[in-house]
Amino acid sequence: MTIETMVREFRYDEIRLPDPNPRLSVDEVRTAFSATYPEIATAALTGPEAVGNKLVYHFAKAIGTKDDQEEGPRRASASD
C-alpha cells in the first residue's frame, strides 16, 4: 500500500490556480487570490472534490448584487 499526499488546486472561472502555500487555510488562500481576482472575495466556495491526486476547490462568482438582495421584489405601480 502506498500513501500519497494529495495537493490542493483551486479553480476560478475556468482558471486553474495552484495552491500558494499548503499550510494556509482555505480562507487564507481566498484572501491571497483576492489580490489578483477581487471577485474571489465574495465568491461561493465548493469542494474539495478528489480528482486524481488533487483536492479541487471551486470558486464561483456571486450572482446578483447587494442592491438586488436588499430591495426585494419590485412592486407594480399605477404608472407601469
Side-chain angles (χ1 to χ4, degrees), residues 5-76:
T5 302
M6 297 183 79
V7 296
R8 297 186 301 182
E9 179 177 271
F10 297 86
R11 296 184 183 174
Y12 173 67
D13 200 23
E14 306 293 325
I15 302 169
R16 292 179 182 207
L17 304 166
D19 193 348
N21 183 338
R23 293 183 180 176
L24 296 178
S25 71
V26 174
D27 285 332
E28 290 171 321
V29 171
R30 176 195 298 267
T31 301
F33 285 136
S34 293
T36 305
Y37 304 98
E39 302 88 2
I40 286 178
T42 58
L45 177 66
T46 59
E49 174 187 358
V51 179
N53 68 340
K54 296 179 182 175
L55 292 175
V56 180
Y57 293 83
H58 294 269
F59 291 108
K61 291 181 184 177
I63 298 175
T65 64
K66 184 177 175 183
D67 291 338
D68 291 341
Q69 294 170 3
E70 289 179 357
E71 289 179 15
R74 185 170 173 250
R75 297 185 185 184

